[in-house]
Amino acid sequence: MTVIDSVEQLSALSRPSRVAADRPDRPGPDTRPAETVDVVRMCRELAIRAFRGEEVGPAVAQLEDIARRWADRGVSLDRLQQIVQEGFRLGTDRASGLLEPADVAAAMAVMRRQLDVLHTLHIAVTRAYTSRLRAGDPRHAAARQLATALLHGEPAGTLARHCGIEIADRYHVVAVALPADDDSGDAPRIAVDRVEDELARRFGLSALSFLGADGGTLLLPMELVEDERLGDLIGTLSRCAGSSFVAVVLDAAAGDIPGVGRQAHELLETAVQLRATPRLYRLDDVVLPFQLTRPGPGRDALQALLAPLDTRPELLRTLTRHLANDLNRQVTARQLRVHTNTIDYRLKRIAQLTGCDPTTLTGLWHLRSALIVRRFTGGADRSGVVAEAPARSVRRSASNRRVGA
């Protein structure tokens, strides 16, 4: 029997069976027998899926959530790891029992994969478990209160001494907008836990955060996080959260954090409303859209500039694509499935109707600015002005993210 034959036979094994025979030793007083059986079954089936080479990420995430709940109830980590290990062993035993002894190379490859998955599982469960212990740690709560005090401009020296944190001279103030998913259940909380876990792993309590389901603020000491590595750090935190997010960073002295924090969130709101591609943005990236979208006669004039194109959607679409493609007529023509001569004709018509020639620097600047304003205010065509690939929907509740600023 080959490994492929064995995999086919495992379909029947992944169905629930008589779990009583698969239980580990009698559950301890801090666990509930029914839940113990469920975790054993889950780990057994995870091992079988790993043997078949199937995706195990969702099952690992589910076990992380169980680890958090058990940590809240006081179940020991040793007990949890024993149950996970036993369930995984049962699944691996069933899988390996279908291999032919002669198929040594395939068996070794399967066992290596099983060990890799078990290693990942133990790390995930331990990290999830300890994150709940840290959440209940008075020092962690004090660090969160310290972040709130700094963001509000309140006295923070006593809190800093209480949690053993030295207030840095200067901070990277990072405003974060986490993606929204109305049907996510516990997903937002889990995403926040993972982000805070990674910050704690890297920087201890020195990296302060105030995050909720919609996002929030990170205060990262500039002496600990080099400016050129901020983008990589946000990328890592995005992977921990399970989805990319938009963030804006400004630098500030400790005493200036309240005002700078408000500015960072105002810039963040602009980036979110313009559906900017998820990544870290700096002041230079968003200051022009921010200024263009402030209410006033300038914004009103730019908003009216594109009004003649409202009845010509093909012209507005061509302009948007042309700008997004960095003025490359060939690429725009290929995307719109027209000839490049058609693109040239449409650009001339845009110049005639708006009075701004998109083939000149001045006309191009006015048209690009008008598109930014239109996108911000919810105009007819909102595609591809700032970034061709839109971000996932993001909750835009600034009050939730600014911690009462």
Side-chain angles (χ1 to χ4, degrees), residues 127 134 195-204 236:
R127 181 178 296 176
R134 184 166 51 253
V195 169
E196 292 182 339
D197 288 349
E198 181 64 18
L199 288 173
R201 186 186 70 81
R202 287 173 175 253
F203 309 113
T236 299

Side-chain angles (χ1 to χ4, degrees), residues 10-75:
L10 282 171
S11 298
L13 294 181
S14 63
R15 293 193 296 268
S17 60
R18 293 178 301 172
V19 182
D22 294 333
R23 293 182 185 178
D25 295 335
R26 187 176 55 191
D30 54 358
T31 59
R32 300 170 184 173
E35 287 186 344
T36 299
V37 170
D38 288 341
V39 173
V40 169
R41 181 191 294 118
M42 188 182 305
C43 293
R44 182 191 63 197
E45 294 177 359
L46 187 150
I48 292 173
R49 284 197 294 271
F51 178 86
R52 292 200 297 243
E54 297 175 358
E55 173 61 39
V56 298
V60 172
Q62 189 175 359
L63 285 167
E64 287 179 321
D65 198 30
I66 291 172
R68 292 185 182 91
R69 292 203 306 270
W70 284 24
D72 290 339
R73 294 215 316 266
V75 179

Side-chain angles (χ1 to χ4, degrees), residues 114-370:
Q114 297 292 90
L115 289 173
D116 288 342
V117 171
L118 183 59
H119 178 69
T120 299
L121 183 58
H122 274 303
I123 290 176
V125 167
T126 302
R127 181 178 296 176
Y129 186 96
T130 55
S131 73
R132 301 309 297 165
L133 297 183
R134 184 166 51 253
D137 186 344
R139 293 190 311 152
H140 180 80
R144 186 177 177 88
Q145 293 173 4
L146 177 59
T148 304
L150 289 173
L151 287 165
H152 283 161
E154 299 170 352
T158 302
L159 276 172
R161 288 190 295 273
H162 176 69
C163 53
I165 299 174
E166 182 178 352
I167 297 177
D169 293 330
R170 294 186 64 80
Y171 284 88
H172 298 298
V173 182
V174 185
V176 174
L178 294 178
D181 187 348
D182 294 335
D183 299 323
S184 57
D186 290 333
R189 178 180 60 81
I190 293 172
V192 169
D193 285 346
R194 288 174 176 171
V195 169
E196 292 182 339
D197 288 349
E198 181 64 18
L199 288 173
R201 186 186 70 81
R202 287 173 175 253
F203 309 113
L205 294 177
S206 297
L208 304 175
S209 64
F210 196 102
L211 296 173
D214 297 324
T217 310
L218 309 179
L219 300 178
L220 309 176
M222 293 180 64
E223 61 191 25
L224 290 183
V225 186
E226 299 175 0
D227 187 73
E228 58 270 19
R229 302 188 65 180
L230 268 176
D232 292 338
L233 175 61
I234 295 301
T236 299
L237 297 179
S238 292
R239 289 189 291 275
C240 292
S243 59
S244 299
F245 53 76
V246 180
V248 173
V249 61
L250 298 176
D251 296 337
D256 296 332
I257 286 176
V260 173
R262 284 191 292 271
Q263 293 170 7
H265 278 278
E266 288 173 354
L267 295 170
L268 177 66
E269 290 303 309
T270 301
V272 167
Q273 286 194 263
L274 294 174
R275 295 184 295 171
T277 300
R279 66 175 180 88
L280 177 68
Y281 290 87
R282 302 176 187 274
L283 180 62
D284 290 347
D285 299 322
V286 291
V287 66
L288 178 59
F290 177 77
Q291 289 301 127
L292 288 172
T293 54
R294 296 308 89 190
R299 190 180 81 172
D300 294 342
L302 287 171
Q303 192 170 6
L305 183 62
L306 296 178
L309 305 185
D310 285 343
T311 57
R312 300 292 302 274
E314 77 282 0
L315 297 183
L316 193 57
R317 192 180 312 110
T318 299
L319 177 62
T320 302
R321 289 284 185 175
H322 188 55
L323 294 177
N325 291 329
D326 205 17
L327 312 185
N328 190 316
R329 294 159 50 253
Q330 286 78 18
V331 174
T332 301
R334 186 162 58 251
Q335 290 180 350
L336 297 179
R337 298 182 180 180
V338 298
H339 196 276
T340 52
N341 290 342
T342 302
I343 300 299
D344 292 336
Y345 169 76
R346 290 180 179 179
L347 294 177
K348 290 178 182 178
R349 286 294 294 153
I350 291 169
Q352 294 168 359
L353 293 172
T354 64
C356 294
D357 188 349
T359 63
T360 68
L361 289 178
T362 301
L364 189 63
W365 192 90
H366 281 87
L367 290 168
R368 186 184 293 273
S369 300

Side-chain angles (χ1 to χ4, degrees), residues 76-149:
S76 70
L77 179 59
D78 287 347
R79 180 61 182 159
L80 175 59
Q81 294 285 27
Q82 176 195 358
I83 293 169
V84 169
Q85 181 81 23
E86 180 65 13
F88 201 89
R89 183 189 64 78
L90 289 169
T92 300
D93 286 349
R94 290 194 174 195
S96 60
L98 296 176
L99 291 171
E100 290 291 343
D103 206 355
V104 176
M108 291 298 295
V110 167
M111 289 303 105
R112 280 194 294 269
R113 186 167 67 245
Q114 297 292 90
L115 289 173
D116 288 342
V117 171
L118 183 59
H119 178 69
T120 299
L121 183 58
H122 274 303
I123 290 176
V125 167
T126 302
R127 181 178 296 176
Y129 186 96
T130 55
S131 73
R132 301 309 297 165
L133 297 183
R134 184 166 51 253
D137 186 344
R139 293 190 311 152
H140 180 80
R144 186 177 177 88
Q145 293 173 4
L146 177 59
T148 304

